[in-house]
Amino acid sequence: MPQKEKQNAIVIYPALVVSPANSSKAPLRSSSARLAEAVGLAEGISLNVVFSETVNLSNIKPATFIGAGSVERIGGLVKGLDADLVIMDCQLSPMQQRNLEKVWGA
């Protein structure tokens, strides 16, 4: 039986920037540790991670979770790196997921 080729994946960790006023809501682990864990999990299910990054957010966008500039830039990466999947290490609403899938084609 021929071996299935690994799918190319991009892993994104959207990190909400915590202001000094909200310092009690600071995450317990660093953004880089969260991203490394997500990449490791993706590789653990035989995905070929071609790119990963942390996207800093000042607030969550209702339509796409991340800002329009990040959506556009990641869309360029999806096309340029021939990515099949984009893994967002966050809880997306069904609407956010649909919107991102339509823009990215992944």
Side-chain angles (χ1 to χ4, degrees), residues 21-54:
N22 290 335
S23 61
S24 65
K25 295 182 181 181
L28 298 176
R29 294 185 300 147
S30 71
S31 296
S32 60
R34 293 279 308 257
L35 181 61
E37 179 183 26
V39 168
L41 290 170
E43 292 172 341
I45 59 169
S46 298
L47 294 174
N48 180 35
V49 177
V50 294
F51 183 80
S52 64
E53 85 169 328
T54 298

Side-chain angles (χ1 to χ4, degrees), residues 68-87:
S70 293
V71 170
E72 185 177 324
R73 186 175 47 75
I74 293 167
L77 290 168
V78 168
K79 288 172 183 53
L81 298 173
D82 196 29
D84 305 297
L85 300 167
V86 177
I87 299 169

